[in-house]
Amino acid sequence: DGSAAVGWRRYFDSHGRAMVFAEFSDAAKAAGFPGDAAEIWVELVGTSLEQVLHTEKVLDEDSLRLIRSFGEWCKKTCGGLLETFDLLDSSKEASPISYSSFVRGLRALGMFSAPDLPAELTSEATFKTLVLPLLDPWKTEAILPEAMAFFELDPRLRRRLVRQAE
């Protein structure tokens, strides 16, 4: 997709929790990285293989701004990330939501006209291009509840969201 954030989400942060070096190394191989994963690891977290790597240490500031802004909007408007999903899930069964239903629900909740959001989040077209791939980096065209946890950058809260969504 050309986005470092989507690549990170697809190969490195698919499980919604911090990763240890072994996971990082395996993900780098799966992503086709030809270099030494240990060198990159040291650049990101330091020399200890006991450290863990969190999303906010890796992504660029523009991607983090979108992630933070969408997460904060969900919390402010709906009470939380999973609460937003629940409001958008018309089946009420925590089943996958199609892209069109997800965007239609956000429109009904007023996200695309909300003040104080980055321009990328006030345009449906840009949201579809930049945010939907973060929710569904595998291009299944369906959003699962656990995908919402990616937009929680606090590792402790993120772990809790992943457990709740499962």
Side-chain angles (χ1 to χ4, degrees):
D1 291 323
S3 163
V6 173
W8 175 258
R9 173 83 167 95
R10 182 180 297 145
Y11 293 104
F12 296 90
D13 192 6
S14 61
H15 51 49
R17 64 180 195 276
M19 64 178 12
V20 296
F21 175 72
E23 293 169 318
F24 178 81
S25 180
D26 290 345
K29 287 177 191 165
F33 179 67
D36 184 358
E39 287 181 27
I40 302 298
W41 181 265
V42 168
E43 287 292 319
L44 294 171
V45 297
T47 57
S48 173
L49 295 181
E50 301 302 315
Q51 292 284 347
V52 295
L53 183 59
H54 298 284
T55 294
E56 67 273 10
K57 289 186 176 183
V58 178
L59 297 182
D60 62 280
E61 199 50 48
D62 287 340
S63 296
L64 288 171
R65 181 175 50 84
L66 283 178
I67 291 166
R68 279 188 198 102
S69 296
F70 181 65
E72 289 169 5
W73 180 86
C74 289
K75 292 172 190 174
K76 178 181 171 187
T77 305
C78 304
L81 290 155
L82 292 180
E83 290 81 357
T84 301
F85 185 91
D86 288 344
L87 286 170
L88 302 176
D89 181 15
S90 59
S91 73
K92 304 301 178 211
E93 297 178 11
S95 57
I97 300 174
S98 71
Y99 284 6
S100 59
S101 294
F102 194 84
V103 171
R104 188 172 41 253
L106 292 176
R107 184 184 326 115
L109 291 170
M111 190 183 101
F112 302 114
S113 59
D116 303 324
L117 284 177
E120 299 92 341
L121 294 179
T122 59
S123 159
E124 288 185 39
T126 307
F127 181 87
K128 290 175 183 177
T129 301
L130 297 176
V131 181
L132 285 180
L134 293 173
L135 287 160
D136 177 31
W138 305 278
K139 301 179 184 180
T140 65
E141 298 197 16
I143 312 293
L144 294 168
E146 53 268 24
M148 299 296 282
F150 184 72
F151 293 86
E152 176 55 68
L153 292 175
D154 180 303
R156 185 180 51 78
L157 294 175
R158 184 185 244 202
R159 280 191 303 274
R160 187 175 345 145
L161 280 175
V162 169
R163 283 192 305 269
Q164 284 177 315
E166 292 175 338

